[in-house]
Amino acid sequence: MAVPPTVCRPVCLDDFEAIARTKLGQNAWDYYATGANDMQTLHDNREAFSRLRLRPRVLRDVSTVSTKTSLLGRSIASPICIAPSAMQCMADSDGEEATAKAAAAFDTAMVLSTYSTTALEQVIHHSNGHNPYWFQLYLYQNRPVSQELIQRAERAGYQALVLTVDTPVIGRRLADARNKFQLPRPWRLANFPKDLRIVTASERAALLANGITKDTPLIDNKILSNRADAGLTWTECIPWLRSVTGLPIILKGVLTREDAELAVLHGCNGIIVSNHGGRQLDGVLAAIDALPEVVAAVRGQIEVYMDGGIRKGTDVFKALALGAKAVFLGRPVLWGLAYNGEQGVKEMLQILHDELELAMALCGCATIEAITPQYLQQTPELKSRL
Ligand SMILES: Cc1cc2nc3c(=O)[nH]c(=O)nc-3n(C[C@H](O)[C@H](O)[C@H](O)COP(=O)(O)O)c2cc1C
Ligand SMILES: CCCCC(=O)C(=O)O
């Protein structure tokens, strides 16, 4: 992982991480890099990819390799997309705007976090007129606040809502607790008013009575978890969403066949198989290990994507071979931003794209559609998951 100090031009995604480590302060680095509790799942997300072995075919014409694909019917240049990650301005002052420009330059999809440090209207402004922007949602007990956010996202032109379902409460991130993590000024959660108006007047009074103000550390004091609705259920939340929006609904954070079947049953339009980058329930299985059972459960009825631990072109290839329509990147985008803003994210995407093309050529796949489970060694462990 360590990059020699003389190397200033990253050549792989781990190089971006090593450089970002030298550029970010402890507060931001720990918030971005670490996971929940013992960080077992954070580690497994990557380790599980290395357990999958490729099974290449030869003498296939790979003189031209195309990574073109589509998301919910909209074409994109590559299946490598950008996951929602909060508070990107800590990595680079242009934050989410820099990321949005990089996504547009690559003609790929970006999901914007509810907790962005740039207002959602400002971010989509950088679209190339074609590449998909989706808005990630946390739902609040105070539903009018959520409804207003949804309507703003719709008005601004976001084409889908990504409802994160693995975060009814925030995971226990030890480094953030030790640092008493707080979003440094001048950054703020830009999709919300400056004060605590997101909660109702009586909730606000209760928070203030408990000594919680807008200056209290963010993660540790449960302001955000107080705001988020831990009471969401299939039968209430999805119909409510449907009643307030016509946008496609993607569920992010599904890891089991049971929930995948429920997602189809409740009319969701897609699933992102994810364990939130190991930041929520520590000890859950690696995202890539959960992918096959979710793909099998939905039986092609809706699109399935995945995120968690993607750092190499062969990781992307393996995820596609196991049935993901596309993959999403969390931390690598933050490392690209910390390295060199918009340019850094572009460089990071270019390297991963080139690595994917290389993996496709060396496996004998000229198109994304050609990538199937046959390109993976069928170990007993993998067979048990397929
Ligand atoms: C710093 C950080 C902030 C994140 N913020 C959000 C968020 O606001 N909403 C969300 O649904 N997921 C969030 N995630 C999870 C990512 O969307 C994604 O699931 C995860 O980072 C993928 O793993 P990777 O970092 O190994 O690529 C965040 C992840 C990180 C690292
Ligand atoms: C404060 C929690 C919201 C951002 C998030 O989802 C994350 O940090 O993983």
Side-chain angles (χ1 to χ4, degrees), residues 179-194:
N179 297 337
K180 297 199 186 327
F181 172 76
Q182 189 166 19
L183 178 62
R185 289 171 195 285
W187 316 121
R188 46 180 295 271
L189 301 183
N191 292 322
F192 300 105
K194 280 199 178 114

Side-chain angles (χ1 to χ4, degrees), residues 206-282:
L207 287 173
L208 292 172
N210 283 315
I212 295 171
T213 71
K214 66 179 188 306
D215 296 323
T216 314
L218 264 183
I219 299 285
D220 213 34
N221 70 10
K222 298 194 171 56
I223 282 189
L224 290 175
S225 41
N226 276 341
R227 290 169 172 180
D229 188 351
L232 300 182
T233 61
W234 290 101
T235 46
E236 182 274 328
C237 148
I238 310 292
W240 179 82
L241 262 183
R242 281 276 175 242
S243 74
V244 296
T245 181
L247 291 179
I249 298 168
I250 314 292
L251 295 192
K252 174 173 181 283
V254 169
L255 291 170
T256 61
R257 79 169 61 81
E258 294 90 328
D259 284 338
E261 283 165 3
L262 284 168
V264 173
L265 195 69
H266 286 85
C268 297
N269 304 86
I271 287 174
I272 304 181
V273 174
S274 170
N275 54 37
H276 213 105
R279 299 162 71 79
Q280 284 297 105
L281 180 61
D282 194 28

Side-chain angles (χ1 to χ4, degrees), residues 31 86-87 113 115 138 167 170 173 219 224 276 279-280:
Y31 172 64
M87 308 182 209
S113 167
Y115 294 134
Y138 283 122
T167 315
I170 296 172
R173 300 147 193 191
I219 299 285
L224 290 175
H276 213 105
R279 299 162 71 79
Q280 284 297 105

Side-chain angles (χ1 to χ4, degrees), residues 134-146:
W134 295 352
F135 186 71
Q136 178 267 326
L137 261 188
Y138 283 122
L139 283 186
Y140 303 103
Q141 287 161 7
N142 188 345
R143 283 295 162 84
V145 169
S146 295

